[in-house]
mmCIF file of all heavy atoms in Angstrom:
data_model
loop_
_atom_site.group_PDB
_atom_site.id
_atom_site.type_symbol
_atom_site.label_atom_id
_atom_site.label_comp_id
_atom_site.label_asym_id
_atom_site.label_seq_id
_atom_site.Cartn_x
_atom_site.Cartn_y
_atom_site.Cartn_z
ATOM 1 N N SER C 61 91.730 107.739 130.445
ATOM 2 C CA SER C 61 92.521 107.136 129.372
ATOM 3 C C SER C 61 93.989 107.092 129.796
ATOM 4 O O SER C 61 94.508 108.048 130.360
ATOM 5 C CB SER C 61 92.354 107.991 128.112
ATOM 6 O OG SER C 61 92.759 107.274 127.003
ATOM 7 N N GLY C 62 94.622 105.962 129.590
ATOM 8 C CA GLY C 62 96.038 105.839 129.948
ATOM 9 C C GLY C 62 96.262 105.422 131.384
ATOM 10 O O GLY C 62 97.399 105.299 131.820
ATOM 11 N N ALA C 63 95.183 105.172 132.106
ATOM 12 C CA ALA C 63 95.339 104.813 133.510
ATOM 13 C C ALA C 63 95.951 103.429 133.684
ATOM 14 O O ALA C 63 96.507 103.109 134.731
ATOM 15 C CB ALA C 63 93.979 104.860 134.201
ATOM 16 N N GLY C 64 95.826 102.611 132.667
ATOM 17 C CA GLY C 64 96.384 101.270 132.745
ATOM 18 C C GLY C 64 95.314 100.194 132.812
ATOM 19 O O GLY C 64 95.610 99.046 133.146
ATOM 20 N N LYS C 65 94.096 100.535 132.431
ATOM 21 C CA LYS C 65 93.001 99.567 132.481
ATOM 22 C C LYS C 65 93.279 98.386 131.557
ATOM 23 O O LYS C 65 93.212 97.225 131.970
ATOM 24 C CB LYS C 65 91.678 100.222 132.066
ATOM 25 C CG LYS C 65 91.288 101.440 132.891
ATOM 26 C CD LYS C 65 89.917 101.967 132.526
ATOM 27 C CE LYS C 65 89.835 102.560 131.125
ATOM 28 N NZ LYS C 65 90.671 103.743 130.926
ATOM 29 N N SER C 66 93.604 98.693 130.303
ATOM 30 C CA SER C 66 93.861 97.607 129.353
ATOM 31 C C SER C 66 95.068 96.805 129.787
ATOM 32 O O SER C 66 95.075 95.574 129.709
ATOM 33 C CB SER C 66 94.109 98.181 127.953
ATOM 34 O OG SER C 66 93.014 98.933 127.540
ATOM 35 N N THR C 67 96.091 97.505 130.252
ATOM 36 C CA THR C 67 97.306 96.822 130.676
ATOM 37 C C THR C 67 96.989 95.812 131.780
ATOM 38 O O THR C 67 97.414 94.655 131.724
ATOM 39 C CB THR C 67 98.331 97.856 131.179
ATOM 40 O OG1 THR C 67 98.559 98.806 130.140
ATOM 41 C CG2 THR C 67 99.634 97.196 131.559
ATOM 42 N N ARG C 70 95.094 92.759 130.399
ATOM 43 C CA ARG C 70 95.914 91.862 129.594
ATOM 44 C C ARG C 70 96.947 91.109 130.412
ATOM 45 O O ARG C 70 97.422 90.056 129.996
ATOM 46 C CB ARG C 70 96.645 92.659 128.510
ATOM 47 C CG ARG C 70 95.859 92.794 127.255
ATOM 48 C CD ARG C 70 96.079 94.143 126.621
ATOM 49 N NE ARG C 70 94.866 94.511 125.923
ATOM 50 C CZ ARG C 70 94.661 94.200 124.650
ATOM 51 N NH1 ARG C 70 95.592 93.585 123.969
ATOM 52 N NH2 ARG C 70 93.532 94.504 124.081
ATOM 53 N N GLN C 110 87.242 95.486 122.348
ATOM 54 C CA GLN C 110 86.540 96.670 121.868
ATOM 55 C C GLN C 110 86.185 96.549 120.387
ATOM 56 O O GLN C 110 85.076 96.830 119.978
ATOM 57 C CB GLN C 110 87.402 97.917 122.094
ATOM 58 C CG GLN C 110 86.777 99.154 121.474
ATOM 59 C CD GLN C 110 87.614 100.399 121.716
ATOM 60 O OE1 GLN C 110 88.605 100.377 122.436
ATOM 61 N NE2 GLN C 110 87.192 101.490 121.113
ATOM 62 N N ASP C 194 87.504 94.198 127.412
ATOM 63 C CA ASP C 194 88.233 95.464 127.325
ATOM 64 C C ASP C 194 87.419 96.466 126.510
ATOM 65 O O ASP C 194 87.426 96.439 125.293
ATOM 66 C CB ASP C 194 89.605 95.223 126.685
ATOM 67 C CG ASP C 194 90.518 96.427 126.886
ATOM 68 O OD1 ASP C 194 90.075 97.399 127.512
ATOM 69 O OD2 ASP C 194 91.665 96.368 126.409
ATOM 70 N N GLU C 195 86.717 97.323 127.198
ATOM 71 C CA GLU C 195 85.857 98.313 126.563
ATOM 72 C C GLU C 195 84.943 97.703 125.509
ATOM 73 O O GLU C 195 84.997 98.060 124.340
ATOM 74 C CB GLU C 195 86.696 99.427 125.962
ATOM 75 C CG GLU C 195 87.520 100.076 127.059
ATOM 76 C CD GLU C 195 88.285 101.282 126.589
ATOM 77 O OE1 GLU C 195 87.976 101.770 125.498
ATOM 78 O OE2 GLU C 195 89.163 101.721 127.332
ATOM 79 N N ASN C 226 86.396 96.595 131.499
ATOM 80 C CA ASN C 226 86.923 97.961 131.461
ATOM 81 C C ASN C 226 85.878 98.864 130.854
ATOM 82 O O ASN C 226 85.336 98.555 129.801
ATOM 83 C CB ASN C 226 88.144 98.022 130.518
ATOM 84 C CG ASN C 226 89.385 97.592 131.211
ATOM 85 O OD1 ASN C 226 89.367 97.327 132.398
ATOM 86 N ND2 ASN C 226 90.472 97.527 130.472
ATOM 87 N N HIS C 228 84.618 103.071 129.990
ATOM 88 C CA HIS C 228 84.850 104.501 130.003
ATOM 89 C C HIS C 228 83.678 105.244 130.620
ATOM 90 O O HIS C 228 83.812 106.332 131.135
ATOM 91 C CB HIS C 228 85.046 105.007 128.567
ATOM 92 C CG HIS C 228 86.476 105.227 128.233
ATOM 93 N ND1 HIS C 228 87.011 104.960 127.003
ATOM 94 C CD2 HIS C 228 87.501 105.682 128.984
ATOM 95 C CE1 HIS C 228 88.287 105.247 127.013
ATOM 96 N NE2 HIS C 228 88.620 105.681 128.198
HETATM 97 MG MG1 MG F 403 92.480 100.595 126.952
#
Side-chain angles (χ1 to χ4, degrees):
Chain C
S61 197
K65 303 185 293 296
S66 302
T67 304
R70 271 144 211 269
Q110 174 179 354
D194 194 0
E195 301 186 14
N226 277 356
H228 259 143

